Amino acid sequence: MAKAPAANLGQAAPGGVDPLLGYSALPGIADEMVDADGNIRPVWQQFVAALRGMPDGELQERFSRASRYLRDAGVFYRSYASGETAERSWPLSHIPVLIDEKEWAEVSEGLVQRADLMEAVLADIYGENRLVTEGFVPPALIASNPEFLRPLVGVRPAGGHYLHFCAFEIGRGPDGTWWVLADRTQAPSGAGFALENRVATTRSFSDIYAEMHVHRLASFFGSFRDALQARRKSPDDRIAVLTPGPANETYFEHAYIARYLGFMLLEGEDLAVVDRQLMVRTVAGLKPLGVLWRRLDSSYADPLELDQTSHIGTPGMVEALRSGSVTLVNALGSGILETRALLAFTPAIARHLLGEKLKLPSIATWWCGQGAEREHVTRNIERMVIGPAFSTRPFFDDDSQSVLGLSLRDSARDSISTWLASDGAKLVGQEVVTLSTTPAYVDGKLVPRPMSLRVFAARTESGWQIMPGGFARIGAGDDVAAIAMQAGGTAADVWVVSQQPVATPTLLSPEGTFARAAAGSLPSRAADNLFWLGRYTERAEGALRITRAWHQRYAEAADPNQPLLADVARYLHEGVGMDPAAGIPAPLLRSIESATYAAGNIRDRFSPDGWLALNDLAKTARRFHDTVNPGDDAAHAMTVLLRKLAGFAGLVHENMYRFTGWRFLSIGRYIERALHMTRLLGHMSGREPPDGAFDMLLEIGDNVMTHRRRYNVNTTRLTVTDLLALDPMNPRSILFQLNELRTEVEQLPNAYADGQMSPLFREVMRLQSGLVVMTAEDMTPAVYLKLERDLGHLSETLARTYLA
């Protein structure tokens, strides 16, 4: 498409490079930054002036700060391109979209009206069904709709409202009019990404942002959080976000929102229905759940009454909803409102239910199940997009299933009427969207790109509240179909700008008012992942220390058949199938990646710094895998990995709050370290070890200097056993681990019941007291073997008690 003459954007700052040089609006298309005459719109003038005042290179430096923040925060979405699933960095378009608050007030008014309409429509569909019986909606669009859930008919939601959180995809046309492209009522995504867009963009333009009176987002989330808290029937009821799990494309956002609002993050397996009450499986037993903000599609929520193939739902959830014991955000079955064909009937429904026309019109849509509409679509095919009637995605998100009429050959157009006649009830025609453009920074200059906005609405105690912003989806080129991020699109922050100073709210409670979370609220699944995170990181450290010691000696001997090296290699091979000469051995790499996986399952409970440190460790290990040579090269690589692992452990130890989750992570570490030392000492006992074995053992235990200070003799079996097995002050000894295990297990929920120790606590006490009376002479191979088995049994007992 040809470009219009360059907009009149003024001169570059002296000595600088004007980043706007060459920006031009596309002919016949509304542009957010410049009007039809090429003049900068008033809301953009201060921002543009600030850009012009920047010296050469500063803009790119500012963008680098934002990108670095997103990397450091670990913001990602999951891409499913080419059949592969991969985490991709969040694709930020660094230039925000600016909208005047007066214009935004009109948009918000229209969206509030639409949210009320969606609530009324959903209440009718699952209630009296008058819209169908009175002819406002064809029966087939409900009865044949895969999003219509018959088990939910007649189920009145707790609190009386079906919808609590909605999103709307809106766009601006060539004449400047806003219209709704799609409604998002199922499990709207993007609100958390809107927050991260705001943080990242303000890293680029903190000075400009502070001066431009941009409306903040915190009050929107604070009001919604307060509304959800008010919907609890009891102060003991939990509030949670229900996620499909880490494989979901927006899982990062689920974890981010849960952490930001202070809610639990749960998966379907974390829930159970007992006596028609939805409960959370925690380490302290089943606890009542009062409010659940679901982020998975309705049909997956209950395999008992909905999709029987679902592995991510909770059996009995529909029955819990019938009892009114839990508030669900949004009600199951609300995805039917996203159906593309319903847009064709929305204007008439609004006049019928609200007594007024829509303030924000929908994109022009015709359901081809009716004769007149079918003929209209056929006659105007060059202006149409044909797509599935029951699709819940706008055509630019569903390009593979939609047909652009303009792209059809004449011979193909002749068969359109036949196609629509046979399959019309399954198809809709929608007018081709010509979206307004907004500036995007591409190859060192600003260029116009098509844009749609995703705007969010939350039901609060005072009614619907519209987020003052949202996020914009920016096309990768002039093609509207490339707006979707899966198709290469990007996302931009949206600034609603006022002429007057704006409030700066936060989520912090007023001075003097606070509440601590109830004890024992740790879900069993989260405890399981924390426990194994501790075990895997400690397992990796033990393997690193052994292999480093092996390579340091191999660098001196250059002979893997030397008795000590052969003995250690045999120990590793028989124990974990590890070949120390194979660079970074595969079992070691698996331990590190398993730790990363466990941490990824609890992103809401993991600090960004800890996550970055663990990811850095995993990336470094993968880079070293099969690329280092035996000897000094490998020993150096092991030292690098040990330092990174120590950095991660230090972050966890120094920064993690000592709550129940900390105890499970620590218990995992103590059990694994005790097992590691027990196996090593057991291997060296009961026979004459190769020369240098005891010194190597001290090195692996990081106790060489301690041994020299505590014992005035050379290393012997007894001195090494005393230090590494029985010294209560040595953080590497077996007894030290059992002492710490006793302390942590005693603090777990239900460690005592009716004055009696729990089986787990009793088992720990037995192991600890049995070892504390031992002497170095008593530590025989049989003792080590029994201790190893008992530690394995201890792990199983913990799993049965808390993690099942």
Side-chain angles (χ1 to χ4, degrees):
M1 184 177 293
K3 300 292 182 72
N8 180 20
L9 299 175
Q11 301 298 317
V17 175
D18 192 340
L20 303 173
L21 190 61
Y23 188 89
S24 58
L26 299 175
I29 298 178
D31 190 273
E32 298 299 317
M33 190 173 74
V34 297
D35 60 23
D37 297 324
N39 298 312
I40 300 174
R41 299 183 188 276
V43 71
W44 281 88
Q45 288 175 359
Q46 184 177 350
F47 186 83
V48 170
L51 292 186
R52 287 207 183 97
M54 294 179 188
D56 186 14
E58 181 176 338
L59 191 60
Q60 192 60 53
E61 185 177 316
R62 286 170 175 255
F63 292 164
S64 296
R65 288 203 297 267
S67 298
R68 183 168 58 248
Y69 163 76
L70 292 172
R71 287 195 304 271
D72 290 348
V75 184
F76 73 92
Y77 76 104
R78 198 170 294 280
S79 172
Y80 302 106
S82 304
E84 296 181 358
T85 301
E87 291 185 6
R88 301 292 174 84
S89 298
W90 183 246
L92 179 69
S93 182
H94 294 86
I95 301 295
V97 177
L98 275 55
I99 301 177
D100 185 87
E101 68 172 352
K102 294 180 180 179
E103 180 179 13
W104 192 256
E106 297 177 2
V107 171
S108 298
E109 186 178 353
L111 294 180
V112 167
Q113 178 205 45
R114 197 172 186 93
D116 285 333
L117 177 63
M118 295 293 103
E119 172 71 27
V121 171
L122 198 60
D124 178 81
I125 289 174
Y126 289 100
E128 296 181 352
N129 203 24
R130 296 178 65 87
L131 290 174
V132 170
T133 57
E134 295 176 6
F136 289 96
V137 178
L141 287 188
I142 304 299
S144 301
N145 198 316
E147 295 295 335
F148 177 59
L149 304 182
R150 296 179 187 276
L152 275 301
V153 173
V155 178
R156 187 71 176 169
H161 295 299
Y162 290 83
L163 299 178
H164 301 268
F165 195 86
C166 305
F168 304 94
E169 205 78 41
I170 65 175
R172 194 203 293 270
D175 61 353
T177 301
W178 290 98
W179 12 259
V180 176
L181 305 174
D183 302 298
R184 288 281 169 262
T185 53
Q186 171 78 274
S189 64
F193 289 124
L195 274 172
E196 286 287 35
N197 285 344
R198 175 60 55 87
V199 176
T201 304
T202 53
R203 294 292 177 98
S204 293
F205 302 116
S206 57
D207 49 345
I208 306 174
Y209 179 81
E211 296 173 356
M212 285 193 62
H213 310 314
V214 180
H215 283 271
R216 271 48 171 184
L217 304 181
S219 62
F220 173 83
F221 288 98
S223 298
F224 185 53
R225 179 194 62 184
D226 294 343
L228 295 186
Q229 290 175 336
R231 286 176 171 78
R232 295 182 299 175
K233 294 184 177 181
S234 165
D236 293 332
D237 287 350
R238 274 72 175 167
I239 304 176
V241 176
L242 179 63
T243 176
N248 185 264
E249 64 178 317
T250 56
Y251 174 73
F252 170 85
E253 185 203 10
H254 305 166
Y256 180 84
I257 283 288
R259 186 167 56 231
Y260 182 71
L261 297 179
F263 298 159
M264 304 173 76
L265 183 67
L266 304 177
E267 296 182 25
E269 65 182 85
D270 296 324
L271 301 172
V273 176
V274 179
D275 295 331
R276 307 181 76 193
Q277 167 75 53
L278 196 60
M279 311 288 281
V280 185
R281 304 177 195 270
T282 77
V283 295
L286 294 172
K287 301 295 181 182
L289 189 72
V291 181
L292 187 63
W293 183 1
R294 68 174 177 88
R295 300 302 300 273
L296 80 168
D297 290 350
S298 298
S299 60
Y300 297 127
D302 185 350
L304 195 63
E305 296 198 51
L306 302 176
D307 187 342
Q308 297 180 11
T309 66
S310 172
H311 296 284
I312 57 176
T314 304
M317 182 177 288
V318 172
E319 187 61 26
L321 295 176
R322 290 193 184 102
S323 73
S325 62
V326 62
T327 296
L328 202 62
V329 179
N330 288 323
L332 294 183
S334 57
I336 195 171
L337 297 176
E338 300 184 358
T339 305
R340 200 182 294 183
L342 280 182
L343 291 175
F345 304 93
T346 302
I349 294 173
R351 289 191 297 269
H352 174 65
L353 293 181
L354 304 180
E356 57 189 14
K357 70 176 185 178
L358 290 171
K359 298 176 182 178
L360 279 184
S362 303
I363 181 176
T365 305
W366 294 267
W367 178 52
C368 297
Q370 298 169 307
E373 286 74 10
R374 188 163 56 245
E375 291 179 10
H376 176 83
V377 172
T378 303
R379 288 195 307 269
N380 299 276
I381 188 63
E382 69 279 355
R383 297 190 292 110
M384 295 287 171
V385 174
I386 310 296
F390 294 124
S391 175
T392 58
R393 303 171 67 185
F395 78 89
F396 49 79
D397 271 352
D398 197 23
D399 187 53
S400 63
Q401 300 186 51
S402 300
V403 177
L404 182 64
L406 190 62
S407 67
L408 295 174
R409 296 179 179 179
D410 291 339
S411 58
R413 296 185 190 186
D414 294 339
S415 63
I416 286 294
S417 58
T418 303
W419 179 35
L420 295 182
S422 61
D423 294 330
K426 301 176 183 179
L427 299 169
V428 293
Q430 290 185 301
E431 199 167 58
V432 174
V433 175
T434 303
L435 294 173
S436 64
T437 57
T438 192
Y441 192 77
V442 180
D443 297 330
K445 63 180 181 179
L446 297 185
V447 295
R449 288 287 186 260
M451 170 207 73
S452 71
L453 297 186
R454 181 166 294 187
V455 188
F456 302 90
R459 187 183 295 280
T460 70
E461 294 301 282
S462 58
W464 287 105
Q465 183 172 328
I466 305 300
M467 179 190 291
F471 76 84
R473 299 204 291 173
I474 312 297
D478 293 342
D479 184 6
V480 172
I483 282 181
M485 280 180 288
Q486 298 286 353
T490 56
D493 191 17
V494 178
W495 292 6
V496 177
V497 182
S498 174
Q499 297 298 318
Q500 306 296 328
V502 298
T504 56
T506 71
L507 289 186
L508 299 178
S509 301
E511 183 68 26
T513 63
F514 68 92
R516 287 180 174 172
S521 293
L522 180 70
S524 296
R525 180 185 53 82
D528 190 24
N529 281 287
L530 285 164
F531 172 74
W532 281 103
L533 173 62
R535 290 201 64 172
Y536 282 128
T537 53
E538 193 62 38
R539 187 174 297 176
E541 180 179 348
L544 280 170
R545 290 187 175 279
I546 296 175
T547 51
R548 184 179 66 168
W550 189 93
H551 283 287
Q552 286 173 336
R553 283 154 180 78
Y554 178 78
E556 299 172 0
D559 179 10
N561 296 316
Q562 191 262 349
L564 178 59
L565 295 180
D567 183 69
V568 173
R570 185 170 55 255
Y571 166 78
L572 289 172
H573 178 73
E574 293 174 354
V576 292
M578 183 185 297
D579 178 7
I584 304 296
L588 171 56
L589 188 62
R590 283 198 297 270
S591 293
I592 295 174
E593 293 188 336
S594 295
T596 306
Y597 176 79
N601 287 329
I602 46 173
R603 287 288 291 271
D604 60 313
R605 298 176 178 272
F606 221 67
S607 74
D609 286 339
W611 178 250
L612 280 174
L614 191 55
N615 263 291
D616 181 49
L617 171 68
K619 290 177 182 178
T620 305
R622 285 192 292 270
R623 189 172 70 250
F624 285 156
H625 183 51
D626 289 333
T627 63
V628 296
N629 297 315
D632 284 330
D633 188 28
H636 172 72
M638 303 295 176
T639 299
V640 170
L641 292 176
L642 276 170
R643 288 172 180 169
K644 289 181 180 291
L645 188 56
F648 167 75
L651 279 170
V652 171
H653 187 273
E654 294 299 326
N655 298 336
M656 194 171 180
Y657 186 78
R658 266 52 171 177
F659 69 140
T660 308
W662 153 266
R663 302 193 189 286
F664 279 95
L665 186 144
S666 298
I667 288 170
R669 291 182 62 235
Y670 296 140
I671 288 178
E672 191 65 37
R673 184 173 287 191
L675 276 169
H676 168 68
M677 194 55 67
T678 298
R679 288 166 180 157
L680 271 175
L681 289 171
H683 179 71
M684 297 295 184
S685 300
R687 61 187 180 85
E688 191 62 35
D691 288 341
F694 293 130
D695 290 323
M696 188 176 186
L697 199 55
L698 289 174
E699 183 181 320
I700 292 170
D702 200 17
N703 272 194
V704 173
M705 295 183 64
T706 302
H707 185 277
R708 290 172 183 170
R709 286 195 301 267
R710 285 184 61 81
Y711 305 97
N712 295 320
V713 294
N714 294 328
T715 53
T716 66
R717 186 191 311 276
L718 293 180
T719 59
V720 170
T721 300
D722 185 62
L723 181 60
L724 295 182
L726 303 175
D727 193 328
M729 294 184 293
N730 180 11
R732 294 281 171 184
S733 77
I734 302 172
L735 182 58
F736 184 92
Q737 314 313 314
L738 293 178
N739 288 343
E740 294 300 309
L741 277 171
R742 172 181 172 177
T743 300
E744 299 300 342
V745 169
E746 188 174 11
Q747 300 301 316
L748 291 180
N750 304 322
Y752 290 95
D754 299 326
Q756 297 290 321
M757 293 180 182
S758 70
L760 176 65
F761 190 22
R762 187 179 298 110
E763 184 71 11
V764 171
M765 286 287 290
R766 184 183 66 80
L767 286 179
Q768 188 267 347
S769 59
L771 192 63
V772 77
V773 297
M774 288 283 190
T775 65
E777 291 83 355
D778 297 328
M779 301 302 292
T780 64
V783 171
Y784 285 119
L785 181 60
K786 184 176 185 305
L787 185 56
E788 181 181 347
R789 290 171 178 169
D790 287 343
L791 286 168
H793 182 262
L794 184 66
S795 179
E796 295 170 1
T797 304
L798 181 138
R800 286 196 302 270
T801 305
Y802 294 104
L803 309 181

